[in-house]
Amino acid sequence: MLPAALPHANAQVAAYATLDLNPSVEFGLSSSGVVLTSKGLDRDGRRVLAQVQPNGQPFSSVFSDVLSKAAEDGLIAHGGDASLILATSPAGPHEQVPAAVKQQMLVARANGKAFLTARGAQGIVSAMVLPTSLRAKASQADVSAGTYALYAA
């Protein structure tokens, strides 16, 4: 099958989502919440992304895959404390985060809570929608939008 025949092949990024826990990764999502682009924002993020195939998959599924790989690599320990930060922002300054993307984020948040509980970890799973301007500032500071939002607050 040629890539152009795939339903998401000509889709444009409608929103960005970041996941921070260690690893830290960013995804470009279609208006339906399908991952179109991905990049590791740190060494561990790049390593984990090299082990998953995120493009063309729903964000909530990719989120679960990233958590699993991070745990397999010893980046998420059993028990103890853990924090997962999910952040999304629209692709453009005059745009909104599509409803389907927000839904994928809610599913990912629930999956993250279940994942931590199953590992016996005490933790917080935060999900937030951020303005495009904050994502731009985070990019300039070479950190994820979620991390930037927490430290800028």
Side-chain angles (χ1 to χ4, degrees):
M1 177 181 289
L2 296 173
L6 298 174
H8 58 273
N10 295 319
Q12 293 183 334
V13 172
Y16 292 93
T18 58
L19 163 62
D20 290 290
L21 66 115
N22 187 24
S24 184
V25 293
E26 180 180 70
F27 303 97
L29 307 176
S30 72
S31 61
S32 62
V34 171
V35 174
L36 301 175
T37 64
S38 58
K39 73 176 180 177
L41 299 176
D42 60 14
R43 182 174 41 96
D44 292 328
R46 290 184 290 278
R47 186 176 69 199
V48 168
L49 282 179
Q51 300 176 59
V52 299
Q53 297 181 351
N55 293 2
Q57 304 298 318
F59 173 72
S60 59
S61 296
V62 171
F63 173 81
S64 295
D65 291 346
V66 168
L67 288 181
S68 294
K69 289 297 180 188
E72 286 175 20
D73 287 356
L75 300 173
I76 304 171
H78 279 282
D81 294 330
S83 295
L84 303 177
I85 304 167
L86 292 164
T88 187
S89 61
H94 303 293
E95 299 175 22
Q96 300 291 317
V97 173
V101 171
K102 289 180 182 178
Q103 181 61 36
Q104 288 286 321
M105 293 293 281
L106 290 174
V107 171
R109 183 174 182 238
N111 290 348
K113 286 182 177 183
F115 179 85
L116 291 178
T117 299
R119 296 187 66 77
Q122 299 294 318
I124 298 172
V125 180
S126 301
M128 58 189 91
V129 176
L130 303 170
T132 303
S133 60
L134 195 140
R135 180 179 171 271
K137 289 178 183 176
S139 182
Q140 290 172 349
D142 203 27
V143 297
S144 74
T147 296
Y148 188 86
L150 289 179
Y151 288 106

